[in-house]
Structure formats: C-alpha cells, structure tokens
Amino acid sequence: MKLTLQETVQCLNAGGNVAIPTETVYGLAASLKSPEAISNIFKIKSRPLGNPLIVHVSSVKDISFAKVDLPDFDKLTHAFWPGPLSLVLPLLADLDKQVTAGLLTVAVRCPAHDLCRSLLAMTGPLVAPSANPSGKPSPTQAEHVERDYEGKVAVLDGGACRSGVESTILAWDSQIQKWVLARLGSLEALSIEKVLGYSLERRLKADVAVCPGQKWRHYAPKAELTLERPTSFEDIAVIGFNERSYKGAKIYSLGSIQSSGKCLENLYETLRRLDIDEISKAWIDLDFPLEGLWETLRERLIKASSK
Ligand code: TXA
Ligand code: MG
C-alpha cells in the first residue's frame, strides 16, 4: 500500500511503520518517540534484537541525544551531510534500548533524498533499518518493499534509490582518538580519508567489528551463489559485467566494468531478479579491481554468497 507524504507523517506520528525512501536503500521507519513502532520493526523484519538501528535526522541540530562535540565531526558533516555517511556517536541522553541494542553509542545519519528530508522535517528523528526481511537483499524501489511483504507494509514511494547500497559507517574510537571504518558503503573510504587527513582503520571483520550487524548473513537471494569459476558456462547463471562474454550462460549483468557506481546501483535489483526467475545457483564474477567503490561491491557479493 502506497502512502502520500501527509499520510506517512500521520502514520509515523500515530506510532505506525512506513517504508521510506533514502538515497541509499529504502528503510523501514518508526518515530524515535514510538517504542511500540520501534519494536514492530524487529517483528516485521524478523531482525535480531541485538542489532541496533540508525537514527535518521534532517540536520545536526536534531541530534540532542548524542555527543557531537568530537574531533573532525564538523569536517565530516560539512563534507558529507546530507549524504550516505552514518556516524556512530557516544550516547548522551537515554534512548530506547531497542534503538541502541543496549550499547552506549548510537548511529546517526542525514539522508540526501528530497522527499525523505521533507518527511524528517515534519516528523523529527526516525529510526530505520534497511526495509528488507532480515538477511535478504535490501530494497531500492518501492515495488521491492511491496513484493517482500506482499503489500502489507505501507510505503512512501520516492522512486529508485540513487546509490543503491547502504551508507558507509564510521565510528568514533575514543581510545585511539580517531574515526574508524565500521561498514563499507556507498561513500568511498578514500573521499573520507582525504577530508580527515589520515587513513581509516578498518573494523569490518567479525572479530573486530564495531557494527553488531556484521555478524549476520546479509543481502542473500534464494539462489546458492558460488565464487568458484565453473569449467563451462553452459546452462549456468552468471552475475557479471556487460563487457564480458560468458558463452552459454544466463547472464545477470551488474552493468559496465567501467562504472562501480552504476554496478552498485544495480546490485540488489540484480540479486532480486535471480529470485523472480527462480534461479537456484549462480556464479559471481569477482574479477574486478579492489579499489574505491569496487571494494563495497566485492564485500556485498561475498556476504551474499556466504552460508
Ligand atoms: O543507508 C543506510 O544506512 C540504510 C538506510 C535505510 O538509511 N540503513 C541501514 O540500516 O543500512 P541497517 O539497520 O540495515 O544497518 C545498520 C547497521 C547495522 O549493521 C547495525 O549493526 C549498525 O548499523 N549499527 C547501528 N547502530 C550502531 C551502533 N550504535 N554501533 C555500531 N553499529 C551500529
Ligand atoms: Mg540492512
């Protein structure tokens, strides 16, 4: 069911849940002021309770609940907000424990999507994880949400998401007094490093992960995804690139090998098409550069293929 902006505001203010557009992926939103709606997010998505939520704000001024007086916070927000950068900040005021999963920090982001910004200006801070059922590819179109929940979740349709993958997450590490990289995303780490003037320590692997979410399986279609190159492509499904030839294969192209941004934009839609076509097994062509946004693409594909 699609809602207008006005209906979305009413629904969220009345303690309901609505899937909302952002520039990265659609989020399943609840008002920060509605404990019941926040609790329903976990039920609707079958999300583990130990996985905290990102708070979405329309500007830095909305952040009354976290410490923003941190080195380079202004530099980062001036350079990248609104935009696909989430910041894990020390908690100041008591927030609903469901939002933080009991941590002493809270993740905050300011989306760069006009409709989402109009919404946030009217509702105040909204918590929103990606709107997919836990473990599945994230939705990048309103139709994805409708299909995932068979029309039972209300959606504010803001068109297709520009970036197509989730925000990059940085966390403030008070021990080393630096920002560290907690999730690869649609903002390139190198652009952030240029602003900060130092290289970001990566805290991505399960043993050092800052984000509890790194522990769980993600982005996976129903098909078994394999990274082992097949000896023949005959009758095989391949997730690959426009310029490559995979003779005999059913090809699911992410786009041109010239454009990491476009490939990321197409990623979840491509994984979702495997499900629609009832593909049971597909090979992923991981032969692409490791730098820039390619690193994010590789990480998402490897996660999608993990058991
Ligand atoms: O682009 C995005 O960030 C999208 C859109 C909807 O804004 N949201 C999103 O939310 O990707 P979600 O819930 O799918 O992923 C949030 C990640 C999870 O891995 C979670 O563990 C981590 O952020 N996270 C949230 N709060 C945290 C905190 N206080 N400390 C560390 N990690 C946190
Ligand atoms: Mg997610």
Side-chain angles (χ1 to χ4, degrees):
M1 185 202 356
K2 289 189 183 173
L3 302 186
T4 63
L5 179 60
Q6 272 312 329
E7 289 167 342
T8 303
V9 173
Q10 277 163 12
C11 180
L12 290 167
N13 286 345
N17 298 99
V18 182
I20 61 163
T22 80
E23 79 281 31
T24 58
V25 300
Y26 275 75
L28 182 60
S31 165
L32 187 58
K33 291 179 277 189
S34 300
E36 209 175 307
I38 297 171
S39 153
N40 282 334
I41 288 179
F42 289 87
K43 290 184 195 139
I44 295 168
K45 278 179 56 88
S46 305
R47 182 180 176 95
L49 293 174
N51 199 2
L53 305 173
I54 297 175
V55 181
H56 296 63
V57 296
S58 64
S59 84
V60 172
K61 289 194 210 85
D62 288 349
I63 312 175
S64 55
F65 46 83
K67 186 171 159 69
V68 295
D69 174 21
L70 294 167
D72 297 324
F73 176 88
D74 291 342
K75 256 195 203 171
L76 288 170
T77 52
H78 281 143
F80 301 116
W81 280 11
L85 174 69
S86 295
L87 297 173
V88 175
L89 307 169
L91 201 56
L92 275 184
D94 237 6
L95 276 190
D96 191 320
K97 295 264 185 304
Q98 302 178 100
V99 176
T100 57
L103 297 173
L104 299 175
T105 55
V106 58
V108 187
R109 98 172 188 92
C110 177
H113 185 290
D114 289 345
L115 188 58
C116 182
R117 290 177 62 69
S118 306
L119 175 68
L120 286 165
M122 290 190 262
T123 56
L126 297 173
V127 295
S130 54
N132 52 289
S134 259
K136 293 284 157 202
S138 305
T140 54
Q141 301 171 21
E143 290 68 31
H144 294 166
V145 179
E146 301 214 291
R147 199 170 306 134
D148 283 349
Y149 300 102
E150 294 167 350
K152 289 184 194 116
V153 168
V155 193
L156 175 65
D157 189 349
C161 303
R162 266 198 315 283
S163 305
V165 293
E166 293 82 352
S167 59
T168 300
I169 304 182
L170 293 188
W172 174 249
D173 184 324
S174 58
Q175 293 219 315
I176 62 169
Q177 289 284 303
K178 280 185 175 168
W179 294 91
V180 296
L181 187 62
R183 179 175 72 181
L184 294 166
S186 54
L187 178 64
E188 216 177 307
L190 188 63
S191 319
I192 305 173
E193 289 171 335
K194 280 188 188 146
V195 167
L196 287 175
Y198 57 83
S199 59
L200 290 164
E201 205 182 295
R202 283 160 159 67
R203 301 270 176 83
L204 308 169
K205 301 242 163 76
D207 51 335
V208 290
V210 178
C211 294
Q214 298 286 117
K215 285 193 292 221
W216 287 285
R217 190 179 188 218
H218 283 298
Y219 325 117
K222 291 195 195 102
E224 180 192 338
L225 301 180
T226 156
L227 307 178
E228 209 169 302
R229 194 182 181 90
T231 45
S232 143
F233 292 123
E234 220 53 54
D235 295 327
I236 277 182
V238 168
I239 299 172
F241 301 94
N242 291 348
E243 292 86 350
R244 304 255 166 95
S245 146
Y246 313 98
K247 211 158 174 286
K250 183 162 172 55
I251 300 165
Y252 291 84
S253 181
L254 293 167
S256 165
I257 194 75
Q258 306 296 331
S259 171
S260 52
K262 267 280 167 208
C263 291
L264 278 182
E265 189 186 324
N266 295 333
L267 172 66
Y268 294 133
E269 163 70 12
T270 306
L271 295 179
R272 282 167 174 272
R273 274 200 285 124
L274 296 176
D275 279 355
I276 290 172
D277 294 348
E278 297 183 356
I279 299 293
S280 57
K281 195 169 176 180
W283 172 67
I284 308 174
D285 184 354
L286 275 189
D287 183 16
F288 53 81
L290 242 188
E291 71 263 18
L293 289 177
W294 293 111
E295 192 185 1
T296 304
L297 183 68
R298 178 178 301 263
E299 188 261 355
R300 294 297 195 274
L301 286 169
I302 289 176
K303 274 246 168 81
S305 72
S306 70
K307 301 255 158 48

